[in-house]
Structures are given as structure tokens and as C-alpha cells.
Amino acid sequence: MSMRRAVAILAALLAVLFSAGAVQASTPQADHTVRATPSASRGTDAAPPAPQASCTARNVSHYDAWTGRTWSRDWVCGNRAGAPLYGCASFIAACPVIGWIDTSSSWFVCWGRGAWHDGGNNVWYYTMGDRVAPGEDVHHAWGFIPAVDVWTSTDPWPGMTECNIP
């Protein structure tokens, strides 16, 4: 086999391999407020997808039963699946884990300042989680996630509303 033919075959194989992994996420429906169900689990040898460091704004309505507020806009961002949500923007005992985000792409309605975290800042994002921690039903799954667990290139995300929630 000639060197040119071997290079062509290798290039074709690489193109097939890389295009097979290039799956794009679909944009959530604008009037849909229910979280997507997690996708089927991947094989153990599959690498996790690279986090996308950007958020997309949407004009939607979310009623926040914890604060009694209706949010008219959200931002869909990549995030760490399984990340805990806290009752406030802090790790202190008064603000326990109130739930979790199971999906790797979620919507957030605002940001606030709180305790410093491993992301090197004190920005926290507010959202409704996928699961509520036992005994924390009063929060209705609404809580804060540290910015280290949200895939943004800058914190707070430009254009996102500041929460002003205690």
C-alpha cells in the first residue's frame, strides 16, 4: 500500500470517528419549564463531553414558589450534573443542601453573591433543581449553585439578572 493511500484511509477513519462524536444539543422549547430527563448512560470508556462556557437567554415564565416571584427570563447553561443546590448562596449550616441538578444543561434565572467557592469567586446561580433533598420541600427545589458548577466563561454571566434574594 502506498503512503498516500495509507494517509487517505487514516484521514477518512479519523473523520468518521470525530463526526460520530459531534452531537449537538437541541435548544429547549421557549414555553417549556420542565427539566429534560437525563440521557441514557454512555459506555464506561466514553469521555464526558467538554463543558460549553456559554449561556443562551430565553424569554420564558417560571413561577418560583419559594419566593413567590415569577421570573420572565432564563439562561440555559451547561453545568455539572449531580451538583447540589443550597438554600442560600453559602455553604454555612443555615443554608443546607436543598436539592440537586441531575442534568448537564439547565436553566438559571439570576445570580447572587455569597461564599467564595472553588471557582475562585463568590458568584452563585439560582435555579429550580431536579430533585429535592429529604425534609427540604419548603424550598420547592429552588436554590443556589456555586458558579464553579456552571460552565460560564465569566461570572456573573453578562446580561443575567442579579437575584437580590437573601
Side-chain angles (χ1 to χ4, degrees):
M1 179 180 337
S2 73
M3 179 62 105
R4 185 179 303 215
R5 181 170 168 89
V7 169
I9 290 172
L10 181 59
L13 285 172
L14 288 173
V16 168
L17 287 173
F18 283 110
S19 67
V23 177
Q24 293 185 0
S26 62
T27 304
Q29 304 245 345
D31 61 347
H32 198 286
T33 61
V34 177
R35 297 232 186 252
T37 56
S39 60
S41 59
R42 292 172 287 171
T44 56
D45 56 347
Q52 292 193 358
S54 105
C55 301
T56 302
R58 304 182 306 170
N59 292 322
V60 297
S61 181
H62 299 286
Y63 176 70
D64 176 353
W66 171 241
T67 65
R69 185 171 178 179
T70 298
W71 302 93
S72 61
R73 188 172 174 115
D74 72 13
W75 288 260
V76 177
C77 312
N79 59 269
R80 182 173 68 87
L85 288 172
Y86 294 85
C88 65
S90 177
F91 291 116
I92 61 174
C95 299
V97 171
I98 58 92
W100 296 270
I101 294 179
D102 294 325
T103 58
S104 60
S105 179
S106 304
W107 50 263
F108 302 90
V109 295
C110 63
W111 64 273
R113 298 222 181 257
W116 284 82
H117 51 74
D118 290 342
N121 64 44
N122 65 347
V123 174
W124 293 63
Y125 293 99
Y126 188 66
T127 189
M128 183 181 187
D130 298 306
R131 284 184 293 136
V132 178
E136 295 297 333
D137 294 337
V138 68
H139 290 274
H140 304 279
W142 284 88
F144 289 90
I145 180 174
V148 67
D149 291 330
V150 181
W151 312 147
T152 53
S153 56
T154 186
D155 296 306
W157 185 252
M160 189 180 290
T161 307
E162 187 172 0
C163 293
N164 297 320
I165 297 172

